[in-house]
Amino acid sequence: MTADSLTKALAAAETHCVERGEKLTPVRKRVLELVLEADGPVKAYDLLEALKPGPGSAKPPTVYRALDFLMTAGLVHKVEALNAFVGCSHAHDDGGAELFICSTCGSVEERHGAPEPVNAPAGFMIQRSVVEHFGQCANCRPA
Amino acid sequence: MTADSLTKALAAAETHCVERGEKLTPVRKRVLELVLEADGPVKAYDLLEALKPGPGSAKPPTVYRALDFLMTAGLVHKVEALNAFVGCSHAHDDGGAELFICSTCGSVEERHGAPEPVNAPAGFMIQRSVVEHFGQCANCRPA
DNA sequence: GAGGCGAATGTTATAATATCACGCCTCTAG
DNA sequence: CTAGAGGCGTGATATTATAACATTCGCCTC
C-alpha cells in the first residue's frame, strides 16, 4: 500500500468509526496503520514490537484490545488458520469475508458476498462464517 | 456416539490407516477414541489431561503428534477458529471439509464437496480451504 | 544373534498466543 | 462537583504449540 492510499484509508476508517458512534483513538489508529502497511497477515506480537519504540509501554492487552475494536468495526480480519490479522481498507459491517491467501508471497485477497452454502444442515442458522483459502496466487503459481 | 459405533469407527480408522501404509498405534488410537467420544470440539490440553491416568507420561508433543497424524490421515479436523479438534468417523482423504458448529450445544456437522468459490481471484490455485460456520443448529435455534 | 536403521515415543524446556484483574485517567452528563 | 463509563497502563498468568534431544522398538541384513 502506498503512503498516499494509506492516509486515505486511515481517514476513511476514522469516518467509518464516527458513523458508528465510536472513536478511532491514537492507539487504535496506529495499530490499524501497522496492519495496513504490512504486505500480508501480521502477528499480534509483531504489532506489539512495532508499537514500542519507548520502553515500558505496549503490553499484550493494548494490541489485543485495539485489534478487537478494529475487528468489530470491520476494519481488520483475523486469519484464524494463521492466528494473524489482515487489514481491510474498504470497511464493511457485514461480518463475513472470504480470504484468499497466497502461501508463497503472503498476499491476501478479500472477497465478499460468498454464497450461502447449499450444504447446510436443515435448520442451521449461520451467525458467523470463517472462509479461508490457501494456495498460490496468479503471480506465484508454478508454470 | 454410542460405544458400539465408536468401536466400529475405530476399526474403520485402523483399516483406513493400513490401506495408507501407516500404523494406528495405541497412542494414536487412544487420542482418536477420545476425540470421537467427545460431544463437540476438543482442546488439545483436555486430551492431554484425559491421556494421563498414570503420572509422568503424556506431555504436549505426544498429543500434538497424534493429532497431526490423525489430521493427515483425514480422521480428525482442526477447528481453526476454536483451536480445537473434531473427529470424523467416515475418513476421507480429500483435504476439505465444511463444518457447521452450533455455538449453543457444541455439536458439529460436517459436509463435503463444498463448491469451488466462484469469487476466487483470477489464477488463484487453491490448495487448502478452511470453511467453518458458527451459529445455532436446528435443535438450539430460538423459536 | 549382532548391528544398524527408521519410525514412534518419551522428556525437558521454551516459544508463541491470548486473557484476567486491577487501577488510573479523562471525558461528559446530570 | 461528582459519579459513571470508556479507554488505557501494568503485572501476572493462562492457553496453545513447538524445538531439541534421548530412548525404545521392530525390522532388516549380515
Side-chain angles (χ1 to χ4, degrees), chain A residues 70-91:
Chain A
L70 295 168
M71 282 190 287
T72 301
L75 294 162
V76 158
H77 298 292
K78 181 170 187 179
V79 185
E80 297 286 353
L82 298 177
N83 293 317
F85 302 85
V86 295
C88 177
S89 48
H90 51 297

Side-chain angles (χ1 to χ4, degrees), chain B residues 25 27-28 57 59 61-62 65:
Chain B
T25 63
V27 177
R28 292 166 178 174
S57 119
K59 302 291 192 327
T62 303
R65 284 194 284 229

Side-chain angles (χ1 to χ4, degrees), chain B residues 64-119:
Chain B
Y64 281 104
R65 284 194 284 229
L67 287 169
D68 281 348
F69 173 87
L70 294 168
M71 281 190 287
T72 302
L75 294 164
V76 157
H77 299 292
K78 181 171 187 179
V79 185
E80 297 286 355
L82 298 177
N83 294 318
F85 301 85
V86 294
C88 178
S89 48
H90 51 298
H92 44 81
D93 288 322
D94 63 332
E98 191 172 5
L99 301 177
F100 296 83
I101 300 135
C102 177
S103 305
T104 300
C105 69
S107 69
V108 179
E109 282 288 328
E110 184 178 342
R111 293 286 184 277
H112 287 263
E116 284 294 292
V118 290
N119 293 345

Side-chain angles (χ1 to χ4, degrees), chain A residues 83-137:
Chain A
N83 293 317
F85 302 85
V86 295
C88 177
S89 48
H90 51 297
H92 44 82
D93 287 321
D94 63 334
E98 192 171 5
L99 302 178
F100 295 83
I101 300 135
C102 177
S103 304
T104 301
C105 71
S107 69
V108 179
E109 283 288 329
E110 183 178 341
R111 293 286 185 278
H112 288 264
E116 284 293 295
V118 289
N119 294 344
F124 194 98
M125 184 178 55
I126 294 174
Q127 293 172 328
R128 170 181 176 239
S129 289
V130 172
V131 184
E132 299 167 2
H133 304 285
F134 296 85
Q136 315 297 135
C137 71

Side-chain angles (χ1 to χ4, degrees), chain B residues 126-140:
Chain B
I126 294 175
Q127 292 169 327
R128 171 184 175 237
S129 289
V130 173
V131 183
E132 298 167 2
H133 304 285
F134 296 85
Q136 314 298 134
C137 70
N139 288 339
C140 297

Side-chain angles (χ1 to χ4, degrees), chain A residues 42-62:
Chain A
V42 202
K43 303 290 209 153
Y45 275 68
D46 292 341
L47 292 171
L48 196 51
E49 284 303 306
L51 273 181
K52 49 174 164 187
S57 121
K59 301 291 193 327
T62 304

